[in-house]
């Protein structure tokens, strides 16, 4: 079964063709990073207009690379949220319009569930439950995964998402947007113990995350205690590297520690990682050291950040579970409190 997936939740316009939920025939991603870089973050209205410009060429390219036409497609799917409402509407309505015109089924997919599915696509965990670790630009969550489509959120962030914290620290260090990969790169040559930053602890739920205080202490380290937020920094290259390394170690140690705590409460057969931050190799190394005997499912290259292959792959399973098939009345949702 061939599924055309469409993704437009934030600043990537993507389309992919996936066969039977796991064979990726094409995975086309148009990144708007250059457009938003000048503003050091995503401008929703600009994102929306750019999605409109490129969505049809991106779909055409995905069909071309997969060597098929719209007639060959069995199901059309799109991310329905969470994300920027204007951006979501472009992908969702394009998918619905195509499905309606071609008389094909339409499936709406949760973007975050898609991120977790991306890591299960090449090889499903043999046993459940597993613990899902979602680390993206807009979300940070620990998720009890009973099976595909069966989730319980254990923890979220009470303020910034982890990717957002990376992007804000990158901006303070005058690095381009999105800043995650630039911080990772800078951190490679820095001393991760030079600065003693701290991630936040949340009394109400010890598994919850809080990164806004960490980001503020990085700001003070960069600009001094009394500095205005937009005052220029005068850091040497080595100071920048040490700050990047110390920030990254602090943030990732917090995520590893809270994952360890979650696995103390419950025994899990594997860890499933999803979201753009999971492309970070230092993070992967820390988890491999902390959980040497636990099977770990990481996104393949190009599958950590936003893409449509994860949407098409997951839509295949949703379509097979007939009772979970979605209708054309499905709305775009900027926020979705749980994963489905
Ligand atoms: O999952 P994603 O592509 O979009 C959302 O759903 O939000 O995640 C984007 C986020 C950005 O904040 C970006 O800076 C971060 O993922 N990111 C990274 C790395 N690559 C992307 N953060 C840390 N290290 C990386 N290598
Ligand atoms: Zn995402």
């Amino acid at each position: 079964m061939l599924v055309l997936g469409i993704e437009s939740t934030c600043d990537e316009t993507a389309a992919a063709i996936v066969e039977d939920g796991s064979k990726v025939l094409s995975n086309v991603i148009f990144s708007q990073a250059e457009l938003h870089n000048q503003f050091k973050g995503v401008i929703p209205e600009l994102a929306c207009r750019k999605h409109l410009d490129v969505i049809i060429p991106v779909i055409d390219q995905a069909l071309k690379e997969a060597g098929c036409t719209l007639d060959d497609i069995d199901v059309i799917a799109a991310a329905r949220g969470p994300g920027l409402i204007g951006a979501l509407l472009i992908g969702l309505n394009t998918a619905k319009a195509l499905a309606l015109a071609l008389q094909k089924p339409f499936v709406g997919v949760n973007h975050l569930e898609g991120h977790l599915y991306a890591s299960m696509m090449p090889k499903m965990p043999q046993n459940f439950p597993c613990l899902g670790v979602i680390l993206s630009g807009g979300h940070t969550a620990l998720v009890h995964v009973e099976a595909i489509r069966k989730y319980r959120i254990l923890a979220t962030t009470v303020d910034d998402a982890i990717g957002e914290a990376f992007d804000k620290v990158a901006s303070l260090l005058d690095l381009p947007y999105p800043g995650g990969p630039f911080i990772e790169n800078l951190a490679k040559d820095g001393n991760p113990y030079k600065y003693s930053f701290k991630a936040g602890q949340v009394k109400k739920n010890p598994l919850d995350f809080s990164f806004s205080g960490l980001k503020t202490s990085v700001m003070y380290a960069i600009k001094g205690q009394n500095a205005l937020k937009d005052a220029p920094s005068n850091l040497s290259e080595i100071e920048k590297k040490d700050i990047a390394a110390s920030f990254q170690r602090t943030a990732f140690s917090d995520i590893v520690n809270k994952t360890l705590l979650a696995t103390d409460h419950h025994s899990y057969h594997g860890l499933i990682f999803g979201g753009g931050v999971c492309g970070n190799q230092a993070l992967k190394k820390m988890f491999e050291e902390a959980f040497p005997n636990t099977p770990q499912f990481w996104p393949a290259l190009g599958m950590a950040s936003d893409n449509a292959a994860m949407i098409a792959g997951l839509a295949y399973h949703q379509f097979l579970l007939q009772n979970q098939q979605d209708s054309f009345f499905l709305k775009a949702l900027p926020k979705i409190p749980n994963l489905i």
Side-chain angles (χ1 to χ4, degrees), residues 61-282:
Q61 184 67 21
L63 288 165
K64 195 170 148 205
E65 286 183 18
C68 60
T69 67
L70 280 173
D71 286 340
D72 303 320
I73 301 295
D74 300 295
V75 173
I76 298 177
R80 62 160 323 197
L84 303 170
I85 186 69
L88 279 168
L89 284 170
I90 310 293
L92 193 70
N93 286 332
T94 304
K96 283 183 184 176
L98 279 174
L100 208 57
L102 297 163
Q103 303 275 294
K104 314 235 176 196
F106 161 76
V107 173
V109 173
N110 180 307
H111 174 84
L112 294 179
E113 190 187 0
H115 270 309
L116 283 183
Y117 181 72
S119 296
M120 298 188 260
M121 221 162 152
K123 191 169 168 264
M124 279 286 177
Q126 286 190 333
N127 296 300
F128 286 95
C130 289
L131 183 66
V133 183
I134 297 178
L135 306 171
S136 77
H139 296 85
T140 312
L142 296 176
V143 185
H144 178 98
V145 183
E146 199 56 52
I148 279 204
R149 306 250 74 212
K150 285 198 177 149
Y151 312 97
R152 186 158 44 86
I153 307 266
L154 302 176
T156 55
T157 172
V158 296
D159 41 56
D160 291 351
I162 179 68
E164 191 180 354
F166 266 83
D167 293 340
K168 286 178 178 167
V169 167
S171 164
L172 289 165
L173 290 170
D174 297 324
L175 297 168
Y177 169 85
F182 294 94
I183 299 263
E184 178 179 11
N185 212 24
L186 211 55
K188 280 181 191 151
D189 304 320
N191 175 357
Y193 296 97
K194 182 72 191 279
Y195 294 85
S196 49
F197 299 133
K198 275 201 181 78
Q201 302 305 319
V202 182
K203 267 202 189 135
K204 220 169 113 196
N205 178 6
L207 294 181
D208 271 345
F209 299 94
S210 167
F211 296 113
S212 108
L214 168 61
K215 177 197 65 194
T216 307
S217 42
V218 172
M219 185 182 86
Y220 286 141
I222 294 173
K223 298 187 171 181
Q225 289 296 327
N226 300 314
L228 291 172
K229 221 179 157 187
D230 50 2
S233 60
N234 291 313
L235 294 177
S236 67
E237 268 314 294
I238 186 64
E239 282 170 325
K240 283 189 178 185
K241 287 175 181 173
D242 290 344
I243 287 176
S246 301
F247 159 73
Q248 181 174 272
R249 177 192 57 83
T250 308
F252 287 169
S253 299
D254 182 61
I255 294 167
V256 169
N257 287 338
K258 284 172 180 164
T259 307
L260 282 165
L261 192 61
T263 57
D264 279 349
H265 292 184
H266 204 292
S267 112
Y268 287 103
H269 294 285
L271 299 177
I272 306 167
F273 295 88
V277 181
C278 299
N280 186 302
Q281 293 308 302

